[in-house]
Amino acid sequence: GAVVSQHPSWVICKSGTSVKIECRSLDFQATTMFWYRQFPKQSLMLMATSNEGSKATYEQGVEKDKFLINHASLTLSTLTVTSAHPEDSSFYICSAGAYISYNEQFFGPGTRLTVL
Amino acid sequence: QKEVEQNSGPLSVPEGAIASLNCTYSDRVSQSFFWYRQYSGKSPELIMSIYSNGDKEDGRFTAQLNKASQYVSLLIRDSQPSDSATYLCAVNPQTGANNLFFGTGTRLTVIP
């Protein structure tokens, strides 16, 4: 149980284009989903918290107009990187909150974005 | 600012030894605590959760929590090379919410 999928697993795009990443909770409903970014050899950085049916809450320094988050259902959240640039190249990971025993978060497998 | 501190390592142990990973947190009212394992190039995987003071064992893993000292640890017995990874400590500050504060992780290398 508590499986989270992400699609695509990797994507290469040209500078200036937009990329959409999907995050799904497969066997549970997640009222809250989280989006993280991780650069090589660095720790996880929380970008935003997404609650179903409401606007996402972005962490300080994360541009909400550049990283569009939609959480339209209890099993799906999407992150769209708009007008991507090479510095947006990173490993993007979503997680879904579930109360199994202790308010755990379960992570998707991640999406590796490379912007040329 | 809620802080979670971990020794970044690297921590090297020989195969078969006990690996001990430590974590301290600053928010005294934190409720639940987690250990995630992250292999290089992969996303974090939840391996242990603990809520109450004391020890919690699951196979070769034991989580230890001391709320008075604001300290949580992970012991890995009979360490295997496949345990080589970065271990992230995470703290949930309140019940009813899923947000976690992560440490920067401890890199463990198990030497065959």
Side-chain angles (χ1 to χ4, degrees):
Chain A
V3 178
V4 178
S5 70
Q6 242 180 285
H7 178 80
S9 55
W10 59 269
V11 58
I12 301 173
C13 69
K14 292 182 178 179
S15 185
T17 60
S18 295
V19 174
K20 180 186 280 189
I21 303 170
E22 290 188 350
C23 177
R24 293 180 185 273
S25 56
L26 297 184
D27 51 1
F28 66 100
Q29 294 183 329
T31 54
T32 308
M33 288 185 172
F34 305 85
W35 288 95
Y36 295 85
R37 181 166 57 180
Q38 188 173 38
F39 292 106
K41 299 193 186 301
Q42 294 189 22
S43 58
L44 288 173
M45 188 195 84
L46 178 65
M47 300 175 66
T49 301
S50 165
N51 289 295
E52 184 265 339
S54 63
K55 290 184 179 180
T57 301
Y58 290 82
E59 295 299 302
Q60 192 171 9
V62 177
E63 300 175 58
K64 62 180 181 181
D65 294 330
K66 181 171 182 61
F67 298 100
L68 302 178
I69 292 173
N70 183 277
H71 192 163
S73 78
L74 288 172
T75 59
L76 173 65
S77 177
T78 60
L79 167 68
T80 301
V81 182
T82 62
S83 187
H85 289 99
E87 58 266 30
D88 298 323
S89 299
S90 188
F91 191 40
Y92 292 85
I93 315 172
C94 73
S95 72
Y99 187 83
I100 306 298
S101 300
Y102 304 119
N103 291 333
E104 294 91 335
Q105 279 186 31
F106 295 92
F107 285 86
T111 297
R112 194 161 302 282
L113 171 64
T114 301
V115 184
L116 302 176
Chain B
Q1 180 73 20
K2 296 173 172 45
E3 293 185 354
V4 180
E5 301 282 344
Q6 291 182 257
N7 187 326
S8 62
L11 172 67
S12 295
V13 299
E15 183 174 355
I18 296 175
S20 178
L21 305 163
N22 304 315
C23 173
T24 58
Y25 58 95
S26 62
D27 188 353
R28 184 168 292 277
V29 299
S30 295
Q31 296 294 317
S32 46
F33 309 85
F34 308 89
W35 284 99
Y36 288 83
R37 176 176 63 199
Q38 186 175 24
Y39 292 113
S40 182
K42 302 294 185 181
S43 65
E45 172 193 9
L46 179 64
I47 55 172
M48 288 291 283
S49 313
I50 189 165
Y51 179 77
S52 303
N53 278 324
D55 294 1
K56 179 183 176 185
E57 188 175 314
D58 184 0
R60 295 187 296 112
F61 298 102
T62 299
Q64 299 175 318
L65 175 61
N66 184 326
K67 289 188 178 181
S69 300
Q70 296 175 235
Y71 175 92
V72 58
S73 66
L74 179 70
L75 300 178
I76 306 175
R77 289 183 300 282
D78 187 24
S79 296
Q80 301 297 309
S82 58
D83 295 325
S84 298
T86 296
Y87 289 80
L88 301 170
C89 172
V91 174
N92 175 238
Q94 62 188 82
T95 54
N98 291 112
N99 55 307
L100 296 178
F101 294 95
F102 284 87
T104 53
T106 298
R107 193 164 143 208
L108 171 67
T109 300
V110 180
I111 303 167

Short mmCIF file of all heavy atoms in Angstrom, two decimals, chain A residues 31-32 34 36 38 41-44 46 49 91 93 96-99 101-110 112, chain B residues 32 34 36 38 41-46 49-52 56 88 92 94-100 102-104 107:
data_model
loop_
_atom_site.label_atom_id
_atom_site.label_comp_id
_atom_site.label_asym_id
_atom_site.label_seq_id
_atom_site.Cartn_x
_atom_site.Cartn_y
_atom_site.Cartn_z
N THR A 31 -4.95 14.08 0.59
CA THR A 31 -5.44 15.46 0.60
C THR A 31 -4.30 16.45 0.45
O THR A 31 -4.50 17.56 -0.02
CB THR A 31 -6.19 15.77 1.91
OG1 THR A 31 -5.35 15.46 3.01
CG2 THR A 31 -7.47 14.96 2.01
N THR A 32 -3.12 16.01 0.81
CA THR A 32 -1.95 16.89 0.70
C THR A 32 -0.86 16.21 -0.09
O THR A 32 -0.54 15.05 0.17
CB THR A 32 -1.40 17.25 2.10
OG1 THR A 32 -2.45 17.75 2.91
CG2 THR A 32 -0.31 18.31 1.98
N PHE A 34 3.16 17.07 -1.82
CA PHE A 34 4.30 17.95 -1.68
C PHE A 34 5.19 17.82 -2.91
O PHE A 34 5.35 16.73 -3.46
CB PHE A 34 5.11 17.58 -0.43
CG PHE A 34 4.30 17.57 0.84
CD1 PHE A 34 3.58 16.44 1.21
CD2 PHE A 34 4.26 18.68 1.66
CE1 PHE A 34 2.84 16.42 2.38
CE2 PHE A 34 3.52 18.68 2.83
CZ PHE A 34 2.80 17.55 3.19
N TYR A 36 9.11 18.54 -4.20
CA TYR A 36 10.48 18.80 -3.80
C TYR A 36 11.37 18.89 -5.04
O TYR A 36 11.07 18.36 -6.10
CB TYR A 36 11.02 17.66 -2.91
CG TYR A 36 10.34 17.48 -1.58
CD1 TYR A 36 9.17 16.73 -1.47
CD2 TYR A 36 10.86 18.04 -0.42
CE1 TYR A 36 8.54 16.55 -0.25
CE2 TYR A 36 10.26 17.86 0.81
CZ TYR A 36 9.09 17.11 0.88
OH TYR A 36 8.48 16.93 2.10
N GLN A 38 15.65 18.47 -5.97
CA GLN A 38 16.94 18.05 -5.41
C GLN A 38 18.00 18.18 -6.48
O GLN A 38 17.92 17.53 -7.54
CB GLN A 38 16.86 16.62 -4.89
CG GLN A 38 18.10 16.19 -4.13
CD GLN A 38 17.92 14.82 -3.49
OE1 GLN A 38 17.32 13.92 -4.07
NE2 GLN A 38 18.44 14.64 -2.28
N LYS A 41 23.87 15.83 -5.26
CA LYS A 41 24.62 15.81 -4.01
C LYS A 41 24.12 16.85 -3.00
O LYS A 41 24.84 17.20 -2.08
CB LYS A 41 26.11 16.01 -4.26
CG LYS A 41 26.72 14.92 -5.14
CD LYS A 41 28.21 14.97 -5.13
CE LYS A 41 28.81 13.97 -6.11
NZ LYS A 41 28.41 12.59 -5.82
N GLN A 42 22.89 17.31 -3.18
CA GLN A 42 22.31 18.23 -2.21
C GLN A 42 21.07 17.60 -1.58
O GLN A 42 20.57 16.58 -2.04
CB GLN A 42 21.96 19.56 -2.89
CG GLN A 42 23.19 20.33 -3.36
CD GLN A 42 22.85 21.72 -3.83
OE1 GLN A 42 21.82 22.30 -3.47
NE2 GLN A 42 23.72 22.28 -4.66
N SER A 43 20.59 18.23 -0.54
CA SER A 43 19.45 17.68 0.16
C SER A 43 18.14 18.08 -0.52
O SER A 43 18.12 18.93 -1.41
CB SER A 43 19.46 18.15 1.62
OG SER A 43 19.43 19.55 1.68
N LEU A 44 17.07 17.45 -0.10
CA LEU A 44 15.74 17.78 -0.60
C LEU A 44 15.40 19.23 -0.27
O LEU A 44 15.66 19.69 0.83
CB LEU A 44 14.69 16.90 0.07
CG LEU A 44 14.62 15.43 -0.30
CD1 LEU A 44 13.63 14.73 0.61
CD2 LEU A 44 14.23 15.25 -1.74
N LEU A 46 11.98 21.54 -0.24
CA LEU A 46 10.54 21.63 -0.43
C LEU A 46 10.22 22.85 -1.26
O LEU A 46 10.66 23.97 -0.94
CB LEU A 46 9.83 21.70 0.93
CG LEU A 46 8.30 21.84 0.88
CD1 LEU A 46 7.66 20.59 0.28
CD2 LEU A 46 7.75 22.09 2.28
N THR A 49 3.54 23.03 -1.05
CA THR A 49 2.57 22.09 -0.48
C THR A 49 1.25 22.30 -1.19
O THR A 49 0.78 23.44 -1.33
CB THR A 49 2.41 22.34 1.02
OG1 THR A 49 3.68 22.20 1.67
CG2 THR A 49 1.41 21.38 1.64
N PHE A 91 16.18 17.21 -10.22
CA PHE A 91 15.39 16.02 -9.91
C PHE A 91 14.18 16.50 -9.13
O PHE A 91 14.32 17.03 -8.01
CB PHE A 91 16.26 15.06 -9.09
CG PHE A 91 15.70 13.68 -8.90
CD1 PHE A 91 15.04 13.02 -9.92
CD2 PHE A 91 15.86 13.02 -7.69
CE1 PHE A 91 14.54 11.73 -9.75
CE2 PHE A 91 15.37 11.73 -7.50
CZ PHE A 91 14.71 11.09 -8.52
N ILE A 93 10.72 15.66 -7.20
CA ILE A 93 10.10 14.53 -6.51
C ILE A 93 8.83 14.99 -5.83
O ILE A 93 8.82 16.02 -5.15
CB ILE A 93 11.04 13.94 -5.43
CG1 ILE A 93 12.47 13.78 -5.96
CG2 ILE A 93 10.51 12.60 -4.94
CD1 ILE A 93 13.47 13.39 -4.88
N ALA A 96 3.16 12.20 -1.24
CA ALA A 96 1.76 12.30 -0.84
C ALA A 96 1.65 11.98 0.63
O ALA A 96 2.30 11.06 1.13
CB ALA A 96 0.92 11.34 -1.66
N GLY A 97 0.84 12.75 1.31
CA GLY A 97 0.65 12.54 2.74
C GLY A 97 -0.45 11.53 2.98
O GLY A 97 -1.51 11.58 2.36
N ALA A 98 -0.16 10.60 3.88
CA ALA A 98 -1.16 9.59 4.23
C ALA A 98 -1.04 9.30 5.70
O ALA A 98 0.06 9.23 6.23
CB ALA A 98 -0.93 8.31 3.43
N TYR A 99 -2.16 9.13 6.35
CA TYR A 99 -2.09 8.75 7.75
C TYR A 99 -2.20 7.23 7.83
O TYR A 99 -3.28 6.66 7.79
CB TYR A 99 -3.20 9.40 8.58
CG TYR A 99 -3.00 9.12 10.05
CD1 TYR A 99 -2.12 9.90 10.80
CD2 TYR A 99 -3.64 8.07 10.68
CE1 TYR A 99 -1.91 9.64 12.14
CE2 TYR A 99 -3.43 7.81 12.02
CZ TYR A 99 -2.57 8.60 12.75
OH TYR A 99 -2.36 8.33 14.07
N SER A 101 0.12 5.43 10.14
CA SER A 101 0.27 5.36 11.59
C SER A 101 0.65 6.72 12.16
O SER A 101 0.22 7.10 13.23
CB SER A 101 1.36 4.35 11.97
OG SER A 101 1.04 3.07 11.51
N TYR A 102 1.46 7.45 11.42
CA TYR A 102 2.08 8.63 11.99
C TYR A 102 2.15 9.82 11.04
O TYR A 102 3.08 10.58 11.10
CB TYR A 102 3.52 8.30 12.40
CG TYR A 102 3.69 7.14 13.35
CD1 TYR A 102 4.42 6.03 12.96
CD2 TYR A 102 3.14 7.15 14.62
CE1 TYR A 102 4.60 4.97 13.82
CE2 TYR A 102 3.32 6.09 15.47
CZ TYR A 102 4.04 5.00 15.07
OH TYR A 102 4.23 3.94 15.93
N ASN A 103 1.21 10.02 10.15
CA ASN A 103 1.28 11.13 9.19
C ASN A 103 2.49 11.02 8.27
O ASN A 103 3.24 11.96 8.09
CB ASN A 103 1.34 12.48 9.91
CG ASN A 103 0.02 12.82 10.60
OD1 ASN A 103 -1.03 12.37 10.17
ND2 ASN A 103 0.09 13.62 11.64
N GLU A 104 2.66 9.85 7.69
CA GLU A 104 3.79 9.63 6.82
C GLU A 104 3.65 10.38 5.50
O GLU A 104 2.56 10.75 5.08
CB GLU A 104 3.93 8.14 6.49
CG GLU A 104 4.26 7.25 7.67
CD GLU A 104 3.04 6.70 8.38
OE1 GLU A 104 1.97 7.34 8.30
OE2 GLU A 104 3.15 5.64 9.02
N GLN A 105 4.79 10.58 4.85
CA GLN A 105 4.81 11.00 3.46
C GLN A 105 5.43 9.88 2.65
O GLN A 105 6.43 9.29 3.06
CB GLN A 105 5.67 12.26 3.26
CG GLN A 105 4.99 13.56 3.60
CD GLN A 105 5.85 14.76 3.25
OE1 GLN A 105 6.64 14.74 2.30
NE2 GLN A 105 5.70 15.83 4.02
N PHE A 106 4.83 9.60 1.51
CA PHE A 106 5.34 8.57 0.61
C PHE A 106 5.75 9.24 -0.70
O PHE A 106 4.98 10.00 -1.29
CB PHE A 106 4.30 7.49 0.38
CG PHE A 106 3.97 6.74 1.63
CD1 PHE A 106 2.93 7.14 2.44
CD2 PHE A 106 4.74 5.65 2.03
CE1 PHE A 106 2.64 6.47 3.64
CE2 PHE A 106 4.46 4.97 3.22
CZ PHE A 106 3.41 5.39 4.02
N PHE A 107 6.95 8.93 -1.12
CA PHE A 107 7.52 9.62 -2.26
C PHE A 107 7.28 8.88 -3.58
O PHE A 107 7.28 7.65 -3.63
CB PHE A 107 9.04 9.79 -2.08
CG PHE A 107 9.38 10.86 -1.08
CD1 PHE A 107 9.44 10.59 0.27
CD2 PHE A 107 9.65 12.16 -1.50
CE1 PHE A 107 9.75 11.59 1.19
CE2 PHE A 107 9.96 13.15 -0.60
CZ PHE A 107 10.01 12.87 0.75
N GLY A 108 7.09 9.66 -4.62
CA GLY A 108 7.12 9.10 -5.96
C GLY A 108 8.55 8.84 -6.37
O GLY A 108 9.49 9.24 -5.66
N PRO A 109 8.74 8.20 -7.51
CA PRO A 109 10.10 7.84 -7.94
C PRO A 109 10.90 9.01 -8.48
O PRO A 109 12.10 8.87 -8.69
CB PRO A 109 9.85 6.80 -9.03
CG PRO A 109 8.48 7.11 -9.54
CD PRO A 109 7.70 7.63 -8.37
N GLY A 110 10.27 10.14 -8.70
CA GLY A 110 11.01 11.32 -9.15
C GLY A 110 11.00 11.48 -10.66
O GLY A 110 10.80 10.52 -11.42
N ARG A 112 13.45 13.34 -13.57
CA ARG A 112 14.70 14.05 -13.85
C ARG A 112 14.49 14.94 -15.06
O ARG A 112 14.19 14.46 -16.15
CB ARG A 112 15.83 13.04 -14.12
CG ARG A 112 17.21 13.70 -14.08
CD ARG A 112 18.31 12.67 -13.88
NE ARG A 112 18.18 11.89 -12.67
CZ ARG A 112 18.50 12.32 -11.46
NH1 ARG A 112 18.96 13.54 -11.28
NH2 ARG A 112 18.36 11.52 -10.43
N SER B 32 6.00 13.09 15.57
CA SER B 32 6.37 11.81 14.98
C SER B 32 7.63 11.97 14.13
O SER B 32 7.94 13.07 13.67
CB SER B 32 5.23 11.21 14.15
OG SER B 32 4.65 12.18 13.31
N PHE B 34 10.65 10.05 11.42
CA PHE B 34 10.78 9.10 10.32
C PHE B 34 12.22 9.00 9.87
O PHE B 34 12.98 9.97 9.93
CB PHE B 34 9.92 9.55 9.12
CG PHE B 34 8.49 9.84 9.49
CD1 PHE B 34 8.11 11.10 9.91
CD2 PHE B 34 7.54 8.84 9.43
CE1 PHE B 34 6.79 11.36 10.27
CE2 PHE B 34 6.22 9.09 9.79
CZ PHE B 34 5.84 10.35 10.20
N TYR B 36 14.16 7.89 6.34
CA TYR B 36 14.06 7.56 4.93
C TYR B 36 15.44 7.16 4.43
O TYR B 36 16.46 7.71 4.85
CB TYR B 36 13.57 8.76 4.11
CG TYR B 36 12.12 9.12 4.29
CD1 TYR B 36 11.69 9.90 5.35
CD2 TYR B 36 11.15 8.68 3.38
CE1 TYR B 36 10.36 10.24 5.52
CE2 TYR B 36 9.81 9.01 3.53
CZ TYR B 36 9.43 9.79 4.60
OH TYR B 36 8.10 10.12 4.76
N GLN B 38 17.70 6.93 0.93
CA GLN B 38 17.74 7.41 -0.44
C GLN B 38 19.01 6.90 -1.12
O GLN B 38 20.12 7.29 -0.75
CB GLN B 38 17.68 8.94 -0.50
CG GLN B 38 17.59 9.48 -1.92
CD GLN B 38 17.41 10.99 -2.01
OE1 GLN B 38 17.76 11.73 -1.11
NE2 GLN B 38 16.85 11.45 -3.12
N GLY B 41 20.53 8.86 -6.94
CA GLY B 41 19.72 8.97 -8.14
C GLY B 41 18.28 8.51 -7.99
O GLY B 41 17.52 8.52 -8.96
N LYS B 42 17.91 8.12 -6.78
CA LYS B 42 16.55 7.64 -6.53
C LYS B 42 15.85 8.55 -5.53
O LYS B 42 16.46 9.41 -4.90
CB LYS B 42 16.58 6.21 -5.98
CG LYS B 42 17.28 5.21 -6.88
CD LYS B 42 16.53 5.01 -8.17
CE LYS B 42 17.17 3.91 -9.00
NZ LYS B 42 16.44 3.72 -10.30
N SER B 43 14.54 8.34 -5.38
CA SER B 43 13.79 9.14 -4.41
C SER B 43 13.83 8.47 -3.03
O SER B 43 14.17 7.29 -2.92
CB SER B 43 12.34 9.30 -4.88
OG SER B 43 11.68 8.07 -4.89
N PRO B 44 13.50 9.21 -1.98
CA PRO B 44 13.54 8.65 -0.63
C PRO B 44 12.48 7.55 -0.44
O PRO B 44 11.39 7.62 -0.99
CB PRO B 44 13.23 9.85 0.26
CG PRO B 44 13.60 11.04 -0.56
CD PRO B 44 13.25 10.66 -1.95
N GLU B 45 12.85 6.59 0.38
CA GLU B 45 11.98 5.46 0.70
C GLU B 45 11.84 5.40 2.21
O GLU B 45 12.83 5.38 2.94
CB GLU B 45 12.61 4.17 0.17
CG GLU B 45 11.93 2.91 0.58
CD GLU B 45 12.78 1.69 0.28
OE1 GLU B 45 13.96 1.84 -0.08
OE2 GLU B 45 12.26 0.57 0.42
N LEU B 46 10.61 5.36 2.68
CA LEU B 46 10.36 5.31 4.12
C LEU B 46 10.76 3.94 4.67
O LEU B 46 10.31 2.90 4.17
CB LEU B 46 8.88 5.56 4.41
CG LEU B 46 8.45 5.52 5.86
CD1 LEU B 46 9.11 6.63 6.67
CD2 LEU B 46 6.93 5.61 5.98
N SER B 49 9.23 4.46 11.13
CA SER B 49 8.47 5.55 11.77
C SER B 49 8.48 5.28 13.27
O SER B 49 8.44 4.12 13.69
CB SER B 49 7.01 5.54 11.31
OG SER B 49 6.89 5.42 9.92
N ILE B 50 8.51 6.34 14.06
CA ILE B 50 8.46 6.16 15.51
C ILE B 50 7.74 7.34 16.12
O ILE B 50 7.90 8.48 15.68
CB ILE B 50 9.86 5.94 16.11
CG1 ILE B 50 9.77 5.55 17.59
CG2 ILE B 50 10.76 7.15 15.90
CD1 ILE B 50 11.06 4.98 18.14
N TYR B 51 6.94 7.05 17.13
CA TYR B 51 6.11 8.06 17.76
C TYR B 51 6.35 8.17 19.25
O TYR B 51 6.32 9.24 19.83
CB TYR B 51 4.64 7.72 17.49
CG TYR B 51 3.65 8.67 18.11
CD1 TYR B 51 3.40 9.90 17.54
CD2 TYR B 51 2.95 8.30 19.25
CE1 TYR B 51 2.48 10.76 18.09
CE2 TYR B 51 2.03 9.17 19.81
CZ TYR B 51 1.79 10.39 19.22
OH TYR B 51 0.89 11.24 19.78
N SER B 52 6.61 7.04 19.88
CA SER B 52 6.75 7.02 21.34
C SER B 52 8.21 6.88 21.74
O SER B 52 9.02 6.30 20.99
CB SER B 52 5.96 5.84 21.91
OG SER B 52 4.61 5.90 21.53
N LYS B 56 12.02 0.97 18.66
CA LYS B 56 11.10 0.27 17.76
C LYS B 56 11.94 -0.50 16.77
O LYS B 56 12.80 0.07 16.10
CB LYS B 56 10.19 1.26 17.03
CG LYS B 56 9.22 0.59 16.06
CD LYS B 56 8.40 1.61 15.31
CE LYS B 56 7.50 0.95 14.29
NZ LYS B 56 6.76 1.94 13.47
N LEU B 88 17.89 9.90 5.60
CA LEU B 88 17.29 11.18 5.94
C LEU B 88 16.41 11.03 7.18
O LEU B 88 15.56 10.15 7.24
CB LEU B 88 16.42 11.68 4.78
CG LEU B 88 17.11 11.87 3.44
CD1 LEU B 88 16.08 12.12 2.35
CD2 LEU B 88 18.09 13.03 3.51
N ASN B 92 7.82 15.32 11.99
CA ASN B 92 6.49 15.90 11.80
C ASN B 92 6.16 16.73 13.02
O ASN B 92 6.11 16.19 14.13
CB ASN B 92 5.47 14.79 11.59
CG ASN B 92 4.05 15.31 11.50
OD1 ASN B 92 3.19 14.93 12.27
ND2 ASN B 92 3.80 16.19 10.56
N GLN B 94 3.48 18.28 14.08
CA GLN B 94 2.17 18.33 14.71
C GLN B 94 1.28 17.23 14.17
O GLN B 94 1.44 16.78 13.04
CB GLN B 94 1.52 19.69 14.44
CG GLN B 94 1.28 19.96 12.97
CD GLN B 94 0.82 21.38 12.70
OE1 GLN B 94 1.62 22.29 12.63
NE2 GLN B 94 -0.48 21.55 12.57
N THR B 95 0.35 16.80 14.96
CA THR B 95 -0.61 15.81 14.50
C THR B 95 -1.59 16.48 13.54
O THR B 95 -1.82 17.68 13.57
CB THR B 95 -1.40 15.22 15.68
OG1 THR B 95 -2.00 16.29 16.42
CG2 THR B 95 -0.48 14.43 16.59
N GLY B 96 -2.16 15.66 12.67
CA GLY B 96 -3.16 16.17 11.75
C GLY B 96 -2.59 16.83 10.52
O GLY B 96 -3.33 17.28 9.65
N ALA B 97 -1.29 16.87 10.41
CA ALA B 97 -0.66 17.47 9.22
C ALA B 97 0.45 16.56 8.74
O ALA B 97 1.07 15.86 9.54
CB ALA B 97 -0.11 18.85 9.54
N ASN B 98 0.70 16.57 7.46
CA ASN B 98 1.71 15.69 6.89
C ASN B 98 3.03 16.36 6.61
O ASN B 98 3.94 15.74 6.10
CB ASN B 98 1.20 15.09 5.57
CG ASN B 98 0.07 14.11 5.78
OD1 ASN B 98 -1.05 14.38 5.40
ND2 ASN B 98 0.37 12.99 6.41
N ASN B 99 3.14 17.66 6.89
CA ASN B 99 4.39 18.31 6.53
C ASN B 99 5.53 17.79 7.40
O ASN B 99 5.37 17.52 8.59
CB ASN B 99 4.27 19.84 6.66
CG ASN B 99 3.80 20.26 8.03
OD1 ASN B 99 2.78 19.80 8.52
ND2 ASN B 99 4.56 21.14 8.67
N LEU B 100 6.67 17.61 6.77
CA LEU B 100 7.85 17.09 7.44
C LEU B 100 9.01 18.07 7.29
O LEU B 100 9.13 18.76 6.28
CB LEU B 100 8.27 15.75 6.81
CG LEU B 100 7.30 14.58 6.94
CD1 LEU B 100 7.87 13.35 6.22
CD2 LEU B 100 7.02 14.26 8.38
N PHE B 102 13.04 17.92 7.10
CA PHE B 102 14.08 16.94 6.82
C PHE B 102 15.44 17.45 7.26
O PHE B 102 15.76 18.63 7.13
CB PHE B 102 14.15 16.64 5.32
CG PHE B 102 13.06 15.75 4.83
CD1 PHE B 102 11.85 16.28 4.42
CD2 PHE B 102 13.23 14.37 4.78
CE1 PHE B 102 10.83 15.45 3.97
CE2 PHE B 102 12.22 13.54 4.33
CZ PHE B 102 11.02 14.08 3.92
N GLY B 103 16.26 16.51 7.75
CA GLY B 103 17.67 16.80 7.90
C GLY B 103 18.35 16.69 6.54
O GLY B 103 17.73 16.30 5.55
N THR B 104 19.60 17.05 6.51
CA THR B 104 20.34 17.04 5.24
C THR B 104 20.83 15.64 4.88
O THR B 104 21.31 15.43 3.77
CB THR B 104 21.54 17.99 5.29
OG1 THR B 104 22.33 17.68 6.43
CG2 THR B 104 21.07 19.43 5.38
N ARG B 107 25.35 10.15 4.87
CA ARG B 107 25.74 9.18 3.85
C ARG B 107 26.46 8.01 4.50
O ARG B 107 27.46 8.19 5.20
CB ARG B 107 26.63 9.85 2.84
CG ARG B 107 26.84 9.04 1.58
CD ARG B 107 27.39 9.93 0.50
NE ARG B 107 28.35 9.20 -0.30
CZ ARG B 107 29.36 9.75 -0.95
NH1 ARG B 107 29.55 11.03 -0.88
NH2 ARG B 107 30.17 9.02 -1.64
#
